[in-house]
Amino acid sequence: MGRAREFDVDGALDAAMRTFWERGYDGTSLSDLTEATGVGRQSLYLAFGDKQRLYLAALDRYREHFYLPLLEALSGTVDVRAALRAAILPLLDGSCADDPRGCFLVAAAAERAGDDAEVRARVTAAFAGLETVLLEAAQRGRAAGLVADTVDLPGWAALTVTTIQGMRVMEAGGADRSTLIRALDTVLAMLHP
Amino acid sequence: MGRAREFDVDGALDAAMRTFWERGYDGTSLSDLTEATGVGRQSLYLAFGDKQRLYLAALDRYREHFYLPLLEALSGTVDVRAALRAAILPLLDGSCADDPRGCFLVAAAAERAGDDAEVRARVTAAFAGLETVLLEAAQRGRAAGLVADTVDLPGWAALTVTTIQGMRVMEAGGADRSTLIRALDTVLAMLHP
DNA sequence: CTTTTTCTTGACCGATCGATCAAAAAAGTA
DNA sequence: TACTTTTTTGATCGATCGGTCAAGAAAAAG
């Protein structure tokens, strides 16, 4: 079997994810990663491959830990407005102080999607998945009488996924929180019956 | 007076802007910049200062050449919907093939706003300026009878500026054009009387 | 002319980049 | 025990990073 691995792979990947999330791909050096993870350089290479593979693994971990829970919260409700507001407002009011600002997927889209097809595939899949879940939730809401019959739901879903990504950009850019909340409330108000 | 400068400062700044726009701050090296501008390293430093100052100058130039025209197009019309559609659709359909994909301000917000207060100030000012112009244009549209009386215009302006930034992220991330156009049309349709 | 000032050129700086190598250490197998 | 396999450690690789230095070239001022 050989020597047992001494570090926790998931913990190291979590630390690497936060570092990439905070400083970006080009802004994160291998020394940053060894310091953040507490894992030696060669051990990182053996466990994850080179820097790009580690970045992709970090992106996948972000998706599992921060993106899929949002999708599941939407999948399990007929009240899209309440679920979305509950999921997104905490991201804006500083109650996630331990997490870096902004969205890792948005940062990846802006920095790496043009250069790295694997990043682009993950980003587009994540965005498309959110749009689908939003549409299905809105359709359930309509069936339950919580959503107006006059709203174009596919259009609303496309607008809402776009709005969410825009909020994360403007959040990272230091925009006023009240503007972002107003934007979110406006797109949610479209569904009012 | 000393020796005359041999290169065109505006042309060099334009080339530097496109390089930063395309590859980001950390992704652009001084060698990239000397190659793109055709200007020697020391000449760049004398004309613009260090890398950060050149980046800020490039950001200002982007604002002047790509952002202010949008604001002016909105300032000069009562038909917000037509003006916005005319301004944004070309960005999505590949007819700006000579320009890099995505929005330089969005990339700057994602990559540098957290680290550089001067970048953050420019980004927030640009976003806030667009929101103001959108609101004023919508108010003119209402006075002209082109916008429904029931719409919350400040909310609509906040949503629309957020949507535009979201479109640029998703565009950079390789999202389907039809989704982005649908999102834009949905937010514009909110104004229909 | 000479002097002064500015710009250009190309070499160069220490630091850091991502990545690799070799040897020691720890585990299972025989 | 000895052998094999894997991980860890730390040194090290060539390349490149942002930034600077010094000498020469060009323009205005004397």
Side-chain angles (χ1 to χ4, degrees):
Chain A
M1 269 288 284
R3 179 173 174 172
R5 184 170 280 141
E6 293 181 0
F7 67 93
D8 172 34
V9 176
D10 280 343
L13 182 54
D14 198 75
M17 176 199 73
R18 293 187 126 76
T19 309
F20 278 129
W21 184 2
E22 215 172 90
R23 314 192 203 185
Y25 183 82
D26 284 323
T28 300
S29 71
L30 261 294
S31 299
D32 292 332
L33 292 168
T34 57
E35 185 185 357
T37 60
V39 175
R41 186 170 295 220
Q42 183 75 7
S43 300
L44 281 181
Y45 273 87
L46 282 175
F48 298 106
D50 63 10
K51 188 184 179 186
Q52 186 228 0
R53 308 307 310 179
L54 178 51
Y55 184 79
L56 292 173
L59 208 53
D60 288 334
R61 185 171 180 84
Y62 177 87
R63 176 176 160 274
E64 291 166 14
H65 278 230
F66 293 89
Y67 209 71
L68 291 187
L70 170 63
L71 300 197
E72 284 167 16
L74 292 171
S75 301
T77 182
V78 293
D79 192 348
V80 208
R81 285 175 291 156
L84 252 188
R85 208 165 196 279
I88 298 218
L89 283 193
L91 304 177
L92 306 178
D93 67 4
S95 58
C96 304
D98 51 334
D99 295 335
R101 305 278 285 167
C103 170
F104 189 13
L105 280 161
V106 166
E111 185 185 5
R112 299 285 305 162
D115 299 327
D116 188 327
E118 301 195 65
V119 170
R120 187 165 56 250
R122 283 161 169 81
V123 166
T124 56
F127 292 168
L130 178 55
E131 185 184 357
T132 299
V133 171
L134 283 168
L135 175 58
E136 293 170 350
Q139 288 169 335
R140 282 196 306 277
R142 169 169 290 171
L146 294 172
V147 170
D149 288 334
T150 55
V151 184
D152 165 27
L153 292 190
W156 178 85
L159 173 59
T160 302
V161 64
T162 306
T163 301
I164 292 171
Q165 312 313 328
M167 293 177 67
R168 308 308 299 270
V169 171
M170 297 181 64
E171 174 197 4
D176 199 9
R177 269 196 280 269
S178 61
T179 298
L180 303 180
I181 294 176
R182 196 196 298 267
L184 178 64
D185 283 336
T186 303
V187 81
L188 294 181
M190 290 181 68
L191 297 180
H192 267 116
Chain B
M1 272 289 283
R3 178 172 176 173
R5 186 169 277 141
E6 292 182 2
F7 65 93
D8 172 33
V9 176
D10 280 343
L13 183 53
D14 199 73
M17 175 199 73
R18 292 188 126 77
T19 309
F20 278 129
W21 183 1
E22 214 173 270
R23 314 192 204 186
Y25 183 83
D26 284 323
T28 300
S29 70
L30 261 294
S31 299
D32 292 333
L33 292 168
T34 58
E35 185 184 357
T37 60
V39 175
R41 185 172 295 221
Q42 184 75 10
S43 299
L44 280 182
Y45 273 86
L46 283 176
F48 299 106
D50 62 10
K51 188 185 180 185
Q52 187 227 357
R53 308 307 309 180
L54 178 52
Y55 183 80
L56 292 173
L59 207 53
D60 288 335
R61 185 172 180 85
Y62 176 86
R63 176 176 160 272
E64 290 165 16
H65 278 230
F66 292 90
Y67 209 70
L68 291 187
L70 170 62
L71 300 196
E72 284 166 17
L74 292 171
S75 301
T77 182
V78 294
D79 193 347
V80 208
R81 284 176 290 157
L84 252 187
R85 208 165 196 278
I88 299 220
L89 282 193
L91 303 176
L92 306 176
D93 66 5
S95 58
C96 305
D98 50 337
D99 296 334
R101 306 276 288 166
C103 169
F104 188 13
L105 280 161
V106 166
E111 184 186 7
R112 298 287 304 163
D115 299 328
D116 188 327
E118 301 195 63
V119 169
R120 186 166 56 249
R122 283 160 168 81
V123 166
T124 56
F127 291 169
L130 178 56
E131 186 184 355
T132 299
V133 171
L134 283 169
L135 175 57
E136 292 171 350
Q139 287 169 336
R140 280 196 307 277
R142 168 168 291 171
L146 292 172
V147 170
D149 289 333
T150 55
V151 184
D152 166 27
L153 292 190
W156 178 85
L159 172 59
T160 303
V161 65
T162 305
T163 302
I164 292 172
Q165 312 313 328
M167 291 177 69
R168 308 309 298 272
V169 171
M170 296 179 65
E171 173 197 5
D176 199 10
R177 271 197 279 269
S178 62
T179 298
L180 303 181
I181 295 176
R182 198 196 296 267
L184 179 64
D185 284 336
T186 304
V187 80
L188 295 181
M190 288 181 68
L191 298 180
H192 266 114

